[in-house]
Amino acid sequence: YMGRLCSQIRTIPEFVTQEMDAIQTKDDESVKEYGISLNVDMVRQLSKAGVRFFHFICMNLEYSVTRIVDELGLLDEQVQRDLPWQRSANPRRYGSEDVRPIFWANRPKSYIAKTMMWDEFPNGRWGDSRSPAFGEDTPVPAAHAWHAETPWVHVRSVDDVITIFLKYLSGIPVTLPWCESDLAPETSHIRSRLLDLNAQGFLTINSQPRVNGLPSDDPIHGWGPVGGFVYQKEYVELFCSPENWALLHSELEAAGPTVSYMAVNSTGDIRFSNVETVNAVTWGVMPAKEILQPTVVDPTSFNVWKDEAFDLWFGGLPGGRQATNVPPILQEIHATWMLVNLVENDFVCGDLQCVFERTMQRPEFVPRNVPRPHPLMGSAAKNRISVDEIDVDALSS
């Protein structure tokens, strides 16, 4: 049917061709934004002409369709999530999988590809991740659908790299290889903190704020059946230079038993503290159910994830790691920097920001002065991130 339908499209309007020619000199996010805007305008014009029904085929990329419907003002209520992450549509895992490692939170397609051959999927609790299916898996290559003018081609220094991360956090259209979609709404609660960390060279790729007993129908953090309560431990995952890691490591060792961390370089040299087994970082107390623990930090899974995470330093280049003329700074970061994840297990009063503040106050720390980009304004910014600043303590009931 789709083939017959597409065969009826004889020409593309000239204005679309001209506008696309101009936009394609930018990044993929600009093309996506243009497509959303174009579809919104078409639906409005067709509606005025009397068309009443519209059928969108999202091809498993529901974000753009949701944006279109939202821009048209057709989303009257918050859609309740079953879990903090979106379930796979695969019937083999849809009804049986309810636990995942947090490391792939921003790359769910990669995680699904890695585990698609599993005979069973974690349900209720995260089991033995050292099974042959997971342990023998190889990293999924980055999707290299990047235009030659991607900013990653032109980076020459750490400050250039920091600028890309700051743009992403500010809602400016730029894609990070570690993130398959835009910022999660809950990131708005810690956005200011993340900007401060990234500006000083602690490049964050995954994070969540602490949450203490918010209702399960909370519009930002809620998930699961109505009438329950949800909880989160503060989590942050980042890359940092060996110099910054040495300072951060000293502060982490003095942080006390509530903070756990794992740190590894691209060769597999790993360090950790207060990490003995699987650690649930998101859980929910729901009516007539056992406690659900849908998101975990797992040491064995982290060792699998780190290969993919480091390879993604080349994911913004046409051709990926095989690209010609890979910027030397990306090669240096890949070879020497550390991938670190931190969990503050005190979900009531804990605060990882204190650890970073003490790190950056040490006399050996070399501060950076990278200009902050201006946040994106207008509807695109509204959909990318809500400008805060919201007191983190407000996330506790």
Side-chain angles (χ1 to χ4, degrees):
Y1 171 77
M2 284 300 299
R4 294 197 304 272
L5 180 62
C6 291
S7 67
Q8 303 302 313
I9 303 176
R10 301 299 183 185
T11 59
I12 297 175
E14 184 176 352
F15 80 91
V16 174
T17 303
Q18 292 175 347
E19 292 176 353
M20 282 295 296
D21 287 342
I23 291 172
Q24 284 178 344
T25 61
K26 302 179 182 179
D27 54 38
D28 285 358
E29 287 299 314
S30 299
V31 176
K32 184 188 297 184
E33 290 294 328
Y34 175 73
I36 292 170
S37 176
L38 181 63
N39 275 272
V40 169
D41 289 341
M42 286 194 297
V43 170
R44 285 173 175 162
Q45 292 183 38
L46 290 169
S47 296
K48 290 180 180 179
V51 177
R52 296 180 55 201
F53 302 101
F54 301 87
H55 185 172
F56 292 93
I57 301 173
C58 61
M59 303 295 287
N60 292 328
L61 299 173
E62 74 287 345
Y63 169 77
S64 294
V65 175
T66 302
R67 281 279 309 278
I68 293 168
V69 176
D70 188 25
E71 291 276 356
L72 292 168
L74 300 177
L75 289 182
D76 296 327
E77 58 185 31
Q78 178 75 21
V79 178
Q80 184 74 4
R81 301 180 296 172
D82 289 340
L83 295 166
W85 38 265
Q86 184 176 357
R87 290 183 184 269
S88 168
N90 188 320
R92 286 185 57 243
R93 63 195 303 165
Y94 182 86
S96 61
E97 180 187 31
D98 60 14
V99 186
R100 287 184 185 175
I102 196 172
F103 313 120
W104 286 273
N106 295 324
R107 286 181 59 82
K109 296 175 187 175
S110 172
Y111 179 76
I112 290 172
K114 283 180 178 296
T115 58
M116 64 188 304
M117 300 307 295
W118 281 9
D119 294 327
E120 297 179 349
F121 299 99
N123 183 281
R125 296 291 184 273
W126 180 256
D128 186 1
S129 61
R130 291 167 293 182
S131 65
F134 202 102
E136 296 176 2
D137 202 286
T138 55
V140 176
H144 307 307
W146 311 93
H147 192 271
E149 294 302 315
T150 171
W152 292 96
V153 174
H154 304 294
V155 293
R156 297 292 181 266
S157 65
V158 172
D159 285 0
D160 290 343
V161 175
I162 289 174
T163 298
I164 294 177
F165 278 78
L166 292 177
K167 285 182 177 180
Y168 179 78
L169 286 170
S170 300
I172 296 172
V174 62
T175 301
L176 291 186
W178 299 269
C179 303
E180 292 177 349
S181 59
D182 295 330
L183 290 168
E186 70 176 5
T187 306
S188 63
H189 293 255
I190 53 175
R191 171 178 171 267
S192 179
R193 294 183 173 195
L194 295 178
L195 284 167
D196 290 342
L197 289 180
N198 282 267
Q200 295 304 322
F202 297 98
L203 304 180
T204 59
I205 60 173
N206 195 355
S207 60
Q208 69 177 30
R210 61 178 173 88
V211 172
N212 181 21
L214 286 180
S216 59
D217 58 353
D218 181 84
I220 301 297
H221 303 279
W223 55 272
V226 175
F229 296 91
V230 296
Y231 301 81
Q232 289 182 177
K233 296 175 182 177
E234 185 181 4
Y235 175 84
V236 64
E237 184 177 347
L238 55 87
F239 286 98
C240 66
S241 68
E243 296 80 13
N244 282 354
W245 162 243
L247 301 178
L248 177 61
H249 181 233
S250 297
E251 294 300 330
L252 287 172
E253 289 297 295
T258 66
V259 177
S260 57
Y261 71 84
M262 290 184 282
V264 67
N265 59 19
S266 59
T267 62
D269 180 18
I270 190 167
R271 298 183 182 184
F272 55 86
S273 179
N274 299 325
V275 179
E276 298 178 356
T277 184
V278 176
N279 184 4
V281 291
T282 304
W283 66 100
V285 180
M286 306 299 171
K289 286 180 176 288
E290 294 183 355
I291 293 178
L292 303 176
Q293 300 179 3
T295 313
V296 300
V297 167
D298 169 50
T300 305
S301 300
F302 181 63
N303 200 40
V304 175
W305 159 247
K306 63 96 175 169
D307 293 327
E308 179 175 344
F310 274 102
D311 280 348
L312 286 168
W313 276 109
F314 309 109
L317 304 174
R321 196 166 187 171
Q322 285 69 46
T324 58
N325 300 321
V326 175
I329 187 60
L330 296 185
Q331 295 176 333
E332 178 185 339
I333 289 174
H334 178 273
T336 64
W337 282 37
M338 301 291 290
L339 174 66
V340 186
N341 74 65
L342 301 88
V343 180
E344 172 53 85
N345 293 288
D346 182 354
F347 60 91
V348 178
C349 300
D351 189 357
L352 289 176
Q353 184 70 10
C354 295
V355 177
F356 289 103
E357 288 178 352
R358 291 195 297 269
T359 299
M360 291 184 282
Q361 289 169 0
R362 294 174 67 100
E364 312 97 301
F365 182 79
V366 180
R368 293 184 175 274
N369 187 27
V370 181
R372 298 284 184 93
H374 294 291
L376 187 67
M377 305 302 291
S379 61
K382 178 195 72 175
N383 285 281
R384 280 181 166 272
I385 192 167
S386 56
V387 179
D388 32 75
E389 308 299 336
I390 299 175
D391 187 353
V392 175
D393 290 334
L395 303 183
S396 300
S397 62

